[in-house]
Amino acid sequence: MVRVVDMHCDTISVLSQRQRQGEKVSILENDLEVSLEKMEKGGYGLQNFAMFVHLKKTDTPFLECMQQADTFFQLLRAYPEKISIVRNWKEIDENWEKKRMSALLTAEEGGICQGEPALLRILYELGVRMMTLTWNHANELGFPNRTKEDDLCRGRYGLTEKGITFLEEMERLGMIVDISHLNDDGIDDVFYYTKKPLVASHSNCRAIAPHLRNLTDEHIKKLAERGGVAGLNYYIEFLAEGRTGQNRVSGIEDILRHLRHMKKVGGIDVIGLGSDFDGFDNPVEFQDASGMQLLAQAMEKDGFTTGEIEKVFYGNVLRVYRELLS
C-alpha cells in the first residue's frame, strides 16, 4: 500500500457548518468523502484540512474561520491514537515513523485576514501552515482566476501592495504560499516577490482542461524550477471539458491524463495530490479517500515506476514540508 499525502480537502468546512446547524458530526465516520475510517482504508499518512470561507456569505470572515478551527480541534483531538495535529516537520516525521496519520491545518481564502497582517500571524500561531491568497472573489490581496469583479486596483490584475506585504510575511513566518485560485497575473507576482518553494494545492493542467482554475504550462515549469508541487484535483470541471449528466464523473483516466502532461512539462517532482474532496458535487470513479490505492494501481498499469508513484503520492509534498515547515 502506497501512503497518501493530500494537500487539500474541504471536510472541516462542511462539518463545521453542519455542527453550527445543530447536527452531531464526526471525523471518525461520516457520509463525506473524508473520514478517519476512509483515510485508514485508503492508506493516508497526512491530510491537509482547509478552512474555507465564502466572502460573499459572511460579514465576519475571521470569526467564520475561527469557528472552523474550533471544529477542527474538537474533532481531530478526539482520536489521538489514530491521528495527530501537526505544525512542523519534526511532528510530521514522528507520526510517519509511527504510521500514525497527521492533520495539517490550512486556509482557503486570504480575505479571512481582512488585509491585517496581525490576523495572519494569529493564524500561524493557531497552526495554519498553508494559505491561498484568494478564493473565487477579489479581496485585499489580489484577484481570483474566475473573475475581475470588485476592482480593488487599477491596471493589471496582479497582487495589491497589501498582497505583496502578506507574501513577505508568510515567507518570514514559514507559512506555505498556495497559488491555487489566484489569477495568472497574481501568480506571476508571487514568483517575482518570493524565493522559497510554492504549492498549487489543488490545481490541474490548463492545456488538458482549459479552465482558468488550472495552471498554464509556463506556471507548471516555474513551479518545478522553484522546487514546488501542484496537487492533482479530482473535480470534473478541472479534469475535462463539457461533461454533463451521467458523464459528469471524475475518472481515473482523467486524472492520469493530467498527471502525464504535468510530468511531461515539469517533471515527476512537481506532482502531488490535492483531491479537493468534499469541495465539489460530482462523483469520483474511486468514490472517496478509501479508494486511493486504485489510483496507485492505475498509475502502475500506465507505466509509472514505483518510485514515481511514491513521489506523487507523498514524496514530493513531504520534500517541500521538510524544507519549509521547520
Side-chain angles (χ1 to χ4, degrees), residues 3-4 129 131 139 190 213 223 260:
R3 298 179 78 180
V4 177
R129 293 296 182 266
M131 186 177 78
N139 60 30
V190 171
R213 266 285 283 109
L223 197 61
R260 289 191 293 262

Side-chain angles (χ1 to χ4, degrees), residues 98-116:
K98 295 176 181 177
K99 296 194 181 327
R100 179 171 58 184
M101 293 186 291
S102 294
L104 186 68
L105 188 61
T106 71
E108 185 179 24
E109 173 55 89
I112 58 179
C113 296
Q114 300 169 272
E116 294 292 337

Side-chain angles (χ1 to χ4, degrees), residues 90-237:
K90 180 181 178 182
E91 293 171 347
I92 294 172
D93 193 39
E94 288 176 352
N95 280 342
W96 196 266
E97 291 299 319
K98 295 176 181 177
K99 296 194 181 327
R100 179 171 58 184
M101 293 186 291
S102 294
L104 186 68
L105 188 61
T106 71
E108 185 179 24
E109 173 55 89
I112 58 179
C113 296
Q114 300 169 272
E116 294 292 337
L119 297 184
L120 176 69
R121 289 188 285 270
I122 289 172
L123 288 181
Y124 182 83
E125 293 296 334
L126 196 65
V128 174
R129 293 296 182 266
M130 180 185 297
M131 186 177 78
T132 67
L133 298 179
T134 66
W135 183 60
N136 289 345
H137 303 288
N139 60 30
E140 298 85 354
L141 310 181
F143 299 85
N145 44 24
R146 285 172 54 97
T147 178
K148 291 181 178 179
E149 67 179 348
D150 301 329
D151 190 4
L152 298 180
C153 68
R154 303 290 181 181
R156 67 185 293 275
Y157 287 83
L159 297 182
T160 64
E161 290 186 10
K162 185 70 71 172
I164 296 168
T165 298
F166 264 62
L167 274 185
E168 294 170 347
E169 187 66 358
M170 288 175 73
E171 283 210 317
R172 186 192 71 81
L173 289 169
M175 187 184 292
I176 299 171
V177 178
D178 183 353
I179 59 175
S180 286
H181 284 287
L182 195 59
N183 70 348
D184 291 351
D185 288 342
I187 291 174
D188 287 337
D189 283 348
V190 171
F191 280 111
Y192 182 82
Y193 288 105
T194 60
K195 297 179 180 179
K196 296 180 181 180
L198 311 165
V199 303
S201 65
H202 55 305
S203 297
N204 295 335
C205 307
R206 199 178 300 177
I208 301 298
H211 195 291
L212 290 177
R213 266 285 283 109
N214 287 335
L215 298 170
T216 66
D217 284 359
E218 179 185 0
H219 287 149
I220 292 171
K221 290 176 183 176
K222 286 185 176 180
L223 197 61
E225 291 167 359
R226 184 65 70 87
V229 182
L232 294 168
N233 187 318
Y234 311 156
Y235 181 33
I236 190 60
E237 299 293 332

Side-chain angles (χ1 to χ4, degrees), residues 34 48 56 62-63 84 100 107 114 120 145 194 224 288 315 324:
V34 174
N48 284 13
K56 298 298 183 181
F62 194 75
L63 174 60
S84 174
R100 179 171 58 184
Q114 300 169 272
L120 176 69
N145 44 24
T194 60
D288 51 42
L324 299 182

